[in-house]
Amino acid sequence: MDTKKNLRQSTKEKLSKLNLPEYEDQSYQIAQQLFRSDEWISATTVALTVSKAPEVDTFQLIRKGWEQGKRIVVPKCEPKTRGLDFRELKRFSQLETVFYGLLEPIVSETVSVGRGEIDLVVVPGLAFSHNGYRLGFGGGYYDRFLADFQGMKVSLAFKDQLVDEVPVESHDIPVQKIIHSEGVIHIGN
């Protein structure tokens, strides 16, 4: 556990040094690569988190998805079960601020979408290894969701989030691709 804690702390420190122009530039570069990917192009329903700095900006991804006629779904955390309820987002005003300053869909204004309807999940994380494993923020929500998810899994990362190794546990599920500002890491799974 100390290894994870130390890696989370060191990655957060590196990301805190990212100035706004660099943050915007890298987020834009990552978005452009995602938009050119087969995973994005073929997806009808895309699951994304609503980003909070220092995560890669997903607001531009949500807007682009809407422009392209994709169904965009964002997660509502269910703390009791540590599960995720993905809900269709049609406008940003359907979001509310919840714990830790996160933006989540307003249940009364959005519709739940089953995991079987989702083609692509953009999986968040704090640090990523070259073999597709990630270190999340510590809640285990995505690990539980991905356990029986059959669609495509992609992560987005700033170059400072790429590390040689992250601690891997038996329940961890790698993504198929990590898109970063300087390229794409394809994982053979």
Side-chain angles (χ1 to χ4, degrees), residues 7-67:
L7 183 54
R8 279 190 185 100
Q9 187 174 343
S10 66
T11 305
K12 284 178 183 177
E13 284 172 16
K14 282 189 232 170
L15 291 174
S16 72
K17 295 179 176 124
L18 200 61
N19 64 39
L20 185 60
E22 188 64 26
Y23 169 85
E24 289 294 337
D25 183 52
Q26 283 196 49
S27 287
Y28 178 78
Q29 298 302 327
I30 291 165
Q32 295 312 302
Q33 296 208 56
L34 174 65
F35 299 149
R36 289 191 297 270
S37 73
D38 293 340
E39 291 83 0
W40 177 270
I41 292 167
S42 66
T44 303
T45 302
V46 179
L48 294 156
T49 57
V50 181
S51 60
K52 179 183 173 195
E55 296 173 289
V56 172
D57 174 28
T58 60
F59 286 87
Q60 62 184 321
L61 308 179
I62 294 168
R63 282 187 204 98
K64 179 64 94 173
W66 288 336
E67 288 172 13

Side-chain angles (χ1 to χ4, degrees), residues 23-189:
Y23 169 85
E24 289 294 337
D25 183 52
Q26 283 196 49
S27 287
Y28 178 78
Q29 298 302 327
I30 291 165
Q32 295 312 302
Q33 296 208 56
L34 174 65
F35 299 149
R36 289 191 297 270
S37 73
D38 293 340
E39 291 83 0
W40 177 270
I41 292 167
S42 66
T44 303
T45 302
V46 179
L48 294 156
T49 57
V50 181
S51 60
K52 179 183 173 195
E55 296 173 289
V56 172
D57 174 28
T58 60
F59 286 87
Q60 62 184 321
L61 308 179
I62 294 168
R63 282 187 204 98
K64 179 64 94 173
W66 288 336
E67 288 172 13
Q68 295 179 343
K70 295 184 186 298
R71 180 165 61 161
I72 300 297
V73 298
V74 298
K76 174 83 179 159
C77 293
E78 299 171 331
K80 285 183 180 154
T81 61
R82 290 197 166 208
L84 295 174
D85 174 20
F86 282 93
R87 306 186 71 81
E88 184 172 4
L89 188 71
K90 295 184 176 182
R91 58 187 188 282
F92 289 118
S93 61
Q94 292 175 318
L95 296 170
E96 64 183 343
T97 304
V98 295
F99 53 89
Y100 304 116
L102 297 173
L103 291 170
E104 290 191 349
I106 299 169
V107 172
S108 63
E109 295 183 22
T110 55
V111 176
S112 186
V113 174
R115 83 180 67 228
E117 297 178 61
I118 299 170
D119 304 306
L120 169 64
V121 174
V122 177
V123 184
L126 198 49
F128 303 90
S129 66
H130 292 270
N131 59 355
Y133 287 96
R134 67 185 186 89
L135 178 66
F137 293 88
Y141 288 85
Y142 271 86
D143 292 325
R144 277 185 270 299
F145 177 81
L146 295 173
D148 57 357
F149 176 69
Q150 301 301 312
M152 298 175 284
K153 301 171 287 293
V154 171
S155 285
L156 311 177
F158 294 119
K159 57 189 171 193
D160 286 336
Q161 292 178 280
L162 299 173
V163 296
D164 292 331
E165 195 176 335
V166 297
V168 176
E169 296 178 36
S170 60
H171 62 267
D172 291 336
I173 295 170
V175 296
Q176 293 143 318
K177 188 179 278 188
I178 299 170
I179 299 174
H180 58 97
S181 56
E182 297 174 358
V184 177
I185 300 169
H186 299 269
I187 292 95
N189 59 348

